[in-house]
Each structure stands twice: as structure tokens, then as C-alpha cells.
Amino acid sequence: ITIHPRRHPTAIKIEPERQTVSQNTEAELKCLVNNQVPDVKVEWSKYGETSLGPRAQVYGNTLKINRPQVSDRGVYVCRITTPSGVRESSAIVEVSPREAPIIEVYPKNLQPVILGGSADLQCRVTAGYPTPEVHWARQDGRPFASNVVQLPGGLLRLINITLNDGGSYQCTASNEVAMTSAVVQMEVQAPPVIVIRPNSGIVRVRQGDRVRLECTAQGHPQPHVSWSRHHGGYPDYTSISAAQSIQLSAVHEIQSMSLNDEGSYTCQASNAAGTVEERVQVRIEDEDNNVEYPPCRGDQPCPQPDGSNRPYLPPNTGSGVQIPDDSLRIPIGGRVEMRCQLLGPQPAYLDWRRVNGQKLPP
């Protein structure tokens, strides 16, 4: 009599039977046999797929998935073949999405903004799981002023922009996986503001006096400042400009004032934000102009200090009528003064009329 030991049927299982791993980590399955069976052949497959996928690797009875993605989740089958037959077991692998944030900032190339204007910066999340949190901050660490507001959806809104609002702004998006950031540069520009010394619209001097016209301007970026003179139909000329440490300035000096120096002088300041002009008129004050006369009209004789109505004629040489400035440019609502000079000893009455026939302004 020969006694053979009783053998249990071959059984297999996969450990773990179910697992959930995070995206981009690692998953591992082991196919275990309940007894020692010689000549065992182990095969792995994915249910419903023709292959295990590019990230799966088999080491004997172990299946590893490196840096699993969502597409790697599913049912994995272990199949063993022995002399006594074929056995199968399956396990479920779940992949929890985990993705680093990817962001874009709009506008990508921010145009310069004007002082007092407004601007919106948008930080858009294009990828990331779990959903990233978005936060704006100044790169220099300064807190936002009251005119800067963070709105939902990664929107940063600036209103009534000041020069202090210029600089680098950083958008940061973060989740459990990683943190990423992007930087945008904001340039604030301010149109020039001109200051002229002396600040009177009409500078009255005496013949032979030294005259100094100084024009300074502030703005961002720093403006270029220059003087020019309108010379009765002749081209303008530009004087020498001089730079100072804080602001730019231009100085025009007349060493000895003469009739040829009378006229309108224009200060122009320009930068990337715009161009502005201010004008000053330089006139020689005649000795006779120091006498106060009652107001008179151009179409009637002016009363004289002695009470007579005979016309007053200033002493002049030559003959004819001359307008020192035959072309003037003033801002809307501004003030202008035009002078008509009579040359010659003959008596005359002066009258102003508009060339187009319209009435003179009141």
C-alpha cells in the first residue's frame, strides 16, 4: 500500500487586492501562490487593454507602475500556468490625480500705464490638481495700497494708479503637489508738468536788461526740456538744454535785451507719456508806458493826461505798422495780448479787425 499526501488545489491572490495611489508616485502588485509549485509561469495583463502601458514593469511575480497617471487606473490580472492548470486573480488600482500648477499671466507684455489710469492683471490656471490657490503679491514685498484689489479668479485690479504702483507683480499658484509663479512688470508713466520762471505770461523788461528764462519739468520717465522762439514766420530755434540731478531744465538767457529779442518763447517738455508746452512773451517796456492812461478804444482818439482828445503817438523811427508776433498759439480758455506798433511820425488811428470778417471777441 502506497500512501500519497493530500495536496490542496493551487490558489493565487494579488496583494493588495485594491489600492489607491497618488499621481506621479508608484504602484506595486504581487502575485502570490499558496504552495510551492514547480514550473510556474506568471503573466500580467490589464483588463480591457492590449498592454500594461509604458510605465508598467514586471519583475517575476511583481508588477510595478512608475509615476502612474490617471490613464493607468484599472483592473490588473495575474495569470499562472502550472502542469495542473491555469489560475487567475485580479486587483484594482486607483490613481488619485495630482498635478503641479501651470499658470499664464495676461497681458503677457504689459503696456505702460498712465498716471491716474487703471489696469487689470489676470493670472489664469491652465492645469493643476487639486485646484491650485492663486495669490498676487509685489515682488519687493511691499503690501498693496488701497487702490489695488485682488478679485476672484486670479484678477488683480489697479485703479487711480500712482507712481508707487510701478514695479514687479508676482502671481503664485500652489496645491499639494507643487508651487509655481510668474512675474509681470508694470511701468507707470506721467506726462510732463512744466514750471516757468518768471511765471508771468508776459515778461516786461527794459532795453539792455539781462533776461533769464528758466523752464523745469517733472514727469516719468524724465522729460526732455527745450526752449524755442517764434520769430515772425521764421523757423523756430532751440536753445541749449541742461540736465539737473532731479529734473530736467532748460535755460535761455538774453545778455542785453533789444527790440530783436522781443517775442514769444515756448518751453516744450516731452517724454514717452506725451508732450506739453507753455509760452511766455518777452517785451520791452517803453519809458512812455510808465504813464497811466485812462482806458480807450481802438476806434476813437485816446484821452490824454491834459484832457484833450488829440491822438497820442509814441515816438518811433521809420514808418508803417508792425505786429511783433504775427502768429500766436494759446490753450482754450487762455489769455492773449497782441500789440500793434506804429512806425513813423505821421498821425494815425489804429483799428483791429478780423480777417474773416467775424466780430472781435468781447
Side-chain angles (χ1 to χ4, degrees):
I1 298 174
T2 302
I3 301 175
H4 298 281
R6 183 179 178 182
R7 294 185 178 183
H8 297 285
T10 302
I12 66 171
K13 68 174 182 178
I14 298 177
E15 289 186 353
E17 294 182 355
R18 187 184 190 99
Q19 66 174 309
T20 299
V21 296
S22 297
Q23 186 176 358
N24 292 318
T25 56
E26 185 181 81
E28 182 176 292
L29 299 173
K30 288 188 176 183
C31 187
L32 305 177
V33 181
N34 66 337
N35 53 39
Q36 298 292 331
V37 179
D39 302 324
V40 175
K41 181 181 179 181
V42 179
E43 295 178 303
W44 285 94
S45 64
K46 185 179 180 183
Y47 182 78
E49 303 285 346
T50 58
S51 67
L52 292 172
R55 288 169 290 276
Q57 293 179 329
V58 176
Y59 302 93
N61 67 334
T62 301
L63 172 66
K64 287 186 177 182
I65 305 174
N66 297 313
R67 300 183 61 82
Q69 303 300 308
V70 176
S71 60
D72 293 318
R73 62 187 176 183
V75 177
Y76 289 83
V77 178
C78 175
R79 178 188 178 97
I80 66 169
T81 303
T82 66
S84 61
V86 177
R87 298 287 186 273
E88 288 184 351
S89 181
S90 62
I92 297 175
V93 175
E94 291 286 348
V95 178
S96 177
R98 290 292 186 272
E99 189 177 20
I102 300 176
I103 58 176
E104 292 180 350
V105 175
Y106 295 92
K108 294 181 180 179
N109 299 316
L110 184 63
Q111 299 297 320
V113 295
I114 300 299
L115 183 69
S118 60
D120 285 347
L121 303 178
Q122 177 73 51
C123 187
R124 178 185 173 190
V125 177
T126 60
Y129 194 89
T131 302
E133 294 184 359
V134 179
H135 177 72
W136 280 99
R138 289 188 61 97
Q139 200 172 32
D140 57 12
R142 288 192 291 140
F144 288 144
S146 59
N147 63 321
V148 182
V149 182
Q150 292 198 64
L151 299 175
L155 181 63
L156 184 69
R157 175 161 293 169
L158 298 90
I159 57 176
N160 297 324
I161 292 176
T162 67
L163 290 177
N164 288 332
D165 294 325
S168 298
Y169 290 80
Q170 180 173 287
C171 170
T172 301
S174 60
N175 60 11
E176 298 174 3
V177 182
M179 180 178 67
T180 186
S181 61
V183 177
V184 61
Q185 182 74 25
M186 175 178 292
E187 179 186 359
V188 181
Q189 295 181 349
V193 177
I194 286 177
V195 176
I196 293 179
R197 296 183 181 85
N199 56 10
S200 174
I202 300 177
V203 179
R204 292 181 170 87
V205 297
R206 297 184 181 276
Q207 192 164 351
D209 284 354
R210 180 182 177 183
V211 179
R212 176 184 173 89
L213 302 177
E214 181 178 359
C215 179
T216 59
Q218 292 180 326
H220 190 80
Q222 261 190 348
H224 172 76
V225 185
S226 63
W227 278 104
S228 61
R229 179 189 176 193
H230 185 81
H231 196 281
Y234 292 94
D236 292 353
Y237 71 85
T238 303
S239 66
I240 298 175
S241 301
Q244 295 182 346
S245 58
I246 301 178
Q247 59 190 8
L248 288 179
S249 68
V251 177
H252 182 69
E253 287 190 344
I254 303 172
Q255 298 298 327
S256 180
M257 185 69 187
S258 66
L259 289 174
N260 291 332
D261 297 316
E262 280 191 318
S264 297
Y265 293 81
T266 300
C267 173
Q268 183 183 83
S270 61
N271 64 7
T275 299
V276 295
E277 291 182 350
E278 291 288 344
R279 177 174 289 195
V280 64
Q281 295 201 13
V282 180
R283 294 183 177 175
I284 292 179
E285 188 76 11
D286 296 331
E287 294 291 341
D288 296 307
N289 289 344
N290 294 331
V291 181
E292 295 292 335
Y293 294 105
C296 60
R297 295 167 50 183
D299 58 349
Q300 296 179 358
C302 296
Q304 302 301 312
D306 58 4
S308 66
N309 285 331
R310 59 183 175 82
Y312 169 77
L313 299 174
N316 288 289
T317 60
S319 61
V321 177
Q322 175 181 322
I323 301 177
D325 295 318
D326 61 359
S327 177
L328 301 173
R329 179 171 56 183
I330 59 172
I332 296 176
R335 177 184 174 186
V336 65
E337 181 177 334
M338 295 179 287
R339 184 167 63 165
C340 181
Q341 292 180 343
L342 176 64
L343 304 178
Q346 68 276 15
Y349 295 107
L350 300 179
D351 184 25
W352 284 96
R353 287 179 298 179
R354 297 187 66 169
V355 175
N356 58 10
Q358 295 182 3
K359 294 182 180 181
L360 293 174

